[in-house]
Amino acid sequence: MTQSLNPSVVETYQRDGVVVLKDLVSADTIAALATGVEKNLAAPGPWANEYTPTGASGRFFDDYVNWQRIEEFARAGTTGPIPQVARQLMGSKVARLFHEHVLVKEAETREVTPWHHDDPYYGIDGMDNVSIWIPLDPIPDSVALRFIPGSHRWNARYIPRRFADQSAYVEAAHDFVHLPPPDELETQASLSTPVEIGDAVAFHYRTLHAAPGTAGTGITRRRAVSFRYVGDDARFATRPWKTSPPLEGKGLRPGDELDDPRFPVVARV
Ligand SMILES: O=C(O)CCC(=O)C(=O)O
């Protein structure tokens, strides 16, 4: 089934680099993704992270690229409305799944998701891309993702910062600059995206975003799965640091199309 997006939604995505998609995900898919997250927590992959220090309250866990072993992620990320909507938002002929990313914050987690954009972390170049962030719990404003709309068009790429301590990956790198200080970004963050279960937030790999922890909010759990897609202009790339996910070329060289079973075509015109 192909779900046709209202053109104004696509226009907002292209202009702001972020848009809320109401009622995108069925209750069955939410339940399946919740099962997938439990499987993932029970058996983390080799690249999983725990960002909460031992002994501190809460837990901030993330992991990615498990769709080939967790069928619930494969089904939601490669079939049904999610990939179809991704292709339309990108305005691409083809959508490929890049990977899925699970982010879980338990109650009283103090660790925030720091300001960043995703592109510099990835070994992918191109402007045809989208992450579809799907919450499995209601997301009130207190824990909602924050965005700087339009920042995907700033023509700037920022040196990644580690989620654990917010330190920069490197001092300097050609073609990349340091992020402005968080309080400066905070004042520009004009968009918070509270959403209900069934809604999703779509955002561009270059759109600056952040998210609070759960500490002090009364939120008991905040689970999300972010499906990441790339479109027609996506090319394999290297970075001056280890990419995240740390995918190897395996025959792909910088500048190559992602013609590789790790990045299956999941929607086409
Ligand atoms: O879920 C979060 O806290 C952050 C999500 C995020 O940064 C992403 O999906 O790129």
Side-chain angles (χ1 to χ4, degrees), residues 173-238:
H174 189 60
D175 283 342
F176 296 85
V177 295
H178 281 292
L179 274 164
D183 51 347
E184 205 174 291
L185 292 167
E186 213 65 61
T187 60
Q188 298 187 57
S190 53
L191 187 70
S192 169
T193 54
V195 280
E196 303 295 332
I197 293 179
D199 301 340
V201 186
F203 53 96
H204 193 274
Y205 294 177
R206 289 207 190 177
T207 306
L208 287 168
H209 57 284
T214 55
T217 63
I219 297 292
T220 51
R221 226 179 173 199
R222 202 231 61 175
R223 297 163 297 168
V225 185
S226 219
F227 288 102
R228 312 203 188 273
Y229 297 94
V230 293
D232 298 343
D233 74 350
R235 298 292 181 270
F236 192 73
T238 55

Side-chain angles (χ1 to χ4, degrees), residues 60 103 105 113 116 118 133 145 163 203 209 211 222 224 226 228:
F60 182 7
L103 301 114
K105 291 176 186 165
T113 304
H116 69 286
D118 297 333
W133 185 89
L145 295 180
F163 274 30
F203 53 96
H209 57 284
R222 202 231 61 175
S226 219
R228 312 203 188 273

Side-chain angles (χ1 to χ4, degrees), residues 37 39-45 47-52 58-64 66 69 101-106 109 222 224:
V37 167
K39 287 184 183 176
N40 198 164
L41 287 165
W47 301 325
N49 295 290
E50 298 280 357
Y51 297 117
T52 300
R59 180 186 189 188
F60 182 7
F61 165 94
D62 84 353
D63 199 2
Y64 42 25
N66 291 298
R69 69 183 177 98
H101 191 160
V102 166
L103 301 114
V104 177
K105 291 176 186 165
E106 304 288 1
T109 299
R222 202 231 61 175

Side-chain angles (χ1 to χ4, degrees), residues 43-148:
W47 301 325
N49 295 290
E50 298 280 357
Y51 297 117
T52 300
T54 311
S57 66
R59 180 186 189 188
F60 182 7
F61 165 94
D62 84 353
D63 199 2
Y64 42 25
V65 201
N66 291 298
W67 64 271
Q68 279 153 324
R69 69 183 177 98
I70 298 182
E71 63 183 7
E72 289 83 1
F73 294 161
R75 202 171 323 120
T78 65
T79 65
I82 300 167
Q84 302 290 341
V85 159
R87 188 198 65 72
Q88 292 173 64
L89 289 171
M90 295 188 291
S92 277
K93 292 194 179 68
V94 160
R96 290 182 185 274
L97 178 65
F98 177 29
H99 65 277
E100 96 297 333
H101 191 160
V102 166
L103 301 114
V104 177
K105 291 176 186 165
E106 304 288 1
E108 292 306 320
T109 299
R110 287 204 189 86
E111 289 66 43
V112 302
T113 304
W115 281 103
H116 69 286
H117 62 182
D118 297 333
D119 167 308
Y121 292 81
Y122 297 159
I124 300 281
D125 277 335
M127 289 297 279
D128 299 335
N129 62 64
V130 64
S131 287
I132 305 215
W133 185 89
I134 297 169
L136 309 181
D137 302 290
I139 304 292
D141 181 58
S142 59
V143 291
L145 295 180
R146 270 68 166 157
F147 293 93
I148 302 183

